[in-house]
Amino acid sequence: MKPLPKRSGWCVRKSVAPCLTFGWITTEMALPRPLPTVDDYRHEAKRRLPRMVYDYVEGGAGSERGLDRNRDAFAKYLLSPRRLVNVQQRRQSVAPLGSSWATPFAVAPMGLNGVVRPGGDLALAKAAARMGIPFCLSTASTSTIEEVAAATSGEIWFQLYVVQRKLAEDLVRRAAAAGCTTLVLTVDVAVNGERIRDKRSGFGVPFRYTPRIMWDAATHPVWSLRQVLAGLPELAHFRVAGTGDVEAQAALMGRQMDASFDWEALAALRDAWQGKLLVKGILAPDDASHCEKLGVDGLIISNHGARQIEDVMAPVDALPAIRRACQLPLLLDSGIRHGADVVKAMALGAAGALIGRPLLYGLAARGERGADEILALLRQQIDNTLALIGCPDIGMLDETYIA
Ligand SMILES: Cc1cc2nc3c(=O)[nH]c(=O)nc-3n(C[C@H](O)[C@H](O)[C@H](O)COP(=O)(O)O)c2cc1C
């Protein structure tokens, strides 16, 4: 065969490259309308995020059986619909802790949201405020409590990791001064879970410039450009100069907490914090009743999205026994991917839920608008489920709605 003249390769490149670039930019930037499922947003997030960031969000402990267990647990519970009920009007607002929420879920605390999208904490806080639900800021956030409080008039909670007691006292004071209504003490991270994906990728903040990470960033230029323009993310609450803070940052990144934090320390925290106090990560009925005796205001039944221990109960399976063990309002997270999951949790005794990863998928797919869309999608799915099971008011849910 006659070889092509040299110039034609150049011509092909010249005409194809701009088309490819244009096509890539338009698909990267534009998603024409809200996507129909949380899983569609997850796919988009996977496409748009560098592998190490997607793995940080998506990863679970060990070989990740826990991720499937959390989902399978919801699938196991079937709904038992009532027929011939007037469901023309439906209500899904709740007030599990006094203040009214437009829909029965709040935004779960998640560290390093700014790695998914610069300003991630602010975007989620604003989306939550628009929806009329609380937003919980993590100790490991990339914006400070003060920055979030200044950006939104919505209800803000603060999630506390006790890395060092003195530091924790300082954070609690800052949360109170910033107007946080609720302190969420996370108790399932005495030490780091076994995060194999993060070990493999070398994920951490500040980013390390290994060839692998550089390649990952280079092959996701839109994400990289956004990060570079915004300034690389850091653990915002530890931005202050001083060696103690550097050590604290490293400890927080490695999730090396004060592992001596015990019931006595919880009692002291209860005395020190005047607002609502929630304990997150409870799975045992005895622990639930112990919290109740210490004057905690509510519990978050959670296994941290299967990120800490691989073979641990799914929260929705732990819920009924905990419901019997105490009278406290119970919120639940881990594995919620559809509004019907929230309905099932509430039928089994939860007062509401927290939404975690789905919001990060939304944020990765299309920023703040993506977070709005995820919240709206879940609210719409709850509304639809209530109509289909003949339950006009979410407050009427009980175990009789479970088959
Ligand atoms: C990327 C990521 C970071 C998280 N960071 C925190 C955190 O800083 N503090 C905390 O209490 N929980 C944290 N969690 C756990 C969530 O609050 C929540 O329990 C979990 O996401 C629920 O599981 P799901 O996302 O699979 O529904 C994090 C979860 C994810 C996915």
Side-chain angles (χ1 to χ4, degrees):
M1 206 171 103
K2 210 173 148 198
L4 285 170
K6 263 199 174 142
R7 273 189 60 213
S8 73
W10 180 82
C11 281
V12 167
R13 273 204 303 279
K14 196 180 171 197
S15 52
V16 167
C19 292
L20 282 179
T21 312
F22 179 73
W24 172 78
I25 286 173
T26 45
T27 51
E28 190 72 16
M29 297 307 223
L31 271 180
R33 64 180 88 89
L35 302 173
T37 69
V38 166
D39 207 42
D40 288 306
Y41 284 91
R42 185 182 65 75
H43 278 291
E44 280 301 320
K46 188 170 186 182
R47 204 167 65 76
R48 286 157 193 258
L49 293 174
R51 176 77 187 265
M52 63 163 180
V53 178
Y54 178 76
D55 279 350
Y56 161 69
V57 169
E58 194 58 9
S63 61
E64 304 191 335
R65 282 193 294 267
L67 294 177
D68 291 337
R69 188 175 300 109
N70 282 350
R71 290 296 305 132
D72 294 347
F74 279 109
K76 201 175 61 198
Y77 293 99
L78 304 180
L79 290 161
S80 172
R82 312 283 164 78
R83 300 303 186 205
L84 298 168
V85 178
N86 181 348
V87 287
Q88 190 77 30
Q89 306 286 331
R90 299 177 293 279
R91 205 173 76 92
Q92 58 172 281
S93 61
V94 292
L97 299 161
S99 64
S100 178
W101 307 1
T103 184
F105 49 78
V107 177
M110 288 176 287
L112 303 181
N113 288 336
V115 172
V116 174
R117 182 70 78 113
D121 293 312
L122 306 180
L124 294 187
K126 288 194 248 173
R130 274 192 292 275
M131 179 56 75
I133 57 171
F135 164 77
C136 187
L137 184 73
S138 163
T139 293
S141 57
T142 42
S143 299
T144 62
I145 319 174
E146 294 82 7
E147 287 163 347
V148 173
T152 165
S153 54
E155 183 175 347
I156 306 168
W157 299 356
F158 183 71
Q159 176 267 327
L160 183 67
Y161 278 139
V162 181
V163 180
Q164 297 161 1
R165 300 280 170 109
K166 279 232 74 62
L167 216 61
E169 283 167 20
D170 184 42
L171 287 172
V172 168
R173 264 195 300 274
R174 284 173 68 179
C180 293
T181 59
T182 304
L183 188 67
V184 173
L185 176 75
T186 298
V187 293
D188 54 11
V189 186
V191 295
N192 201 4
E194 195 186 19
R195 309 269 176 93
I196 307 289
R197 293 201 208 198
D198 292 351
K199 282 186 186 162
R200 287 204 179 112
S201 70
F203 176 82
V205 166
F207 295 131
R208 276 178 284 159
Y209 296 100
T210 63
R212 186 186 174 135
I213 288 177
M214 300 283 279
W215 175 251
D216 205 1
T219 49
H220 294 85
V222 173
W223 176 90
S224 301
L225 193 65
R226 281 198 184 106
Q227 294 289 340
V228 168
L229 292 178
L232 292 178
E234 51 184 353
L235 293 165
H237 292 120
F238 303 87
R239 224 179 256 155
V240 201
T243 50
D245 298 310
V246 174
E247 279 163 25
Q249 285 215 35
L252 186 57
M253 248 344 281
R255 299 178 196 84
Q256 296 304 323
M257 305 301 162
D258 178 347
S260 69
F261 197 96
D262 57 7
W263 290 108
E264 210 179 306
L266 174 59
L269 183 66
R270 174 64 291 185
D271 289 344
W273 174 258
Q274 306 304 309
K276 301 274 183 200
L277 177 62
L278 304 182
V279 176
K280 175 172 183 279
I282 294 294
L283 289 171
D286 282 355
D287 284 353
S289 54
H290 205 152
C291 286
E292 187 170 35
K293 285 184 198 123
L294 289 183
V296 162
D297 297 293
L299 303 175
I300 300 170
I301 313 305
S302 167
N303 64 19
H304 213 108
R307 292 163 78 82
Q308 286 300 103
I309 312 178
E310 177 169 18
D311 287 331
V312 74
M313 279 179 98
V316 71
D317 285 335
L319 180 62
I322 294 178
R323 182 64 297 157
R324 288 191 292 277
C326 75
Q327 304 299 313
L328 292 172
L330 304 178
L331 305 178
L332 182 139
D333 74 24
S334 302
I336 293 173
R337 299 292 180 270
H338 192 284
D341 299 333
V342 178
V343 170
K344 289 177 186 179
M346 292 183 72
L348 290 165
L354 298 191
I355 305 302
R357 289 183 179 93
L359 282 162
L360 298 185
Y361 305 151
L363 197 61
R366 53 200 312 189
E368 195 169 319
R369 189 145 58 105
D372 281 331
E373 287 169 7
I374 289 286
L375 295 176
L377 175 64
L378 292 168
R379 181 185 55 185
Q380 184 272 325
Q381 289 171 338
I382 290 173
D383 183 61
N384 201 45
T385 306
L386 290 177
L388 291 173
I389 63 171
C391 178
D393 185 340
I394 204 151
M396 291 165 60
L397 285 173
D398 60 21
E399 283 202 29
T400 63
Y401 284 91
I402 301 286

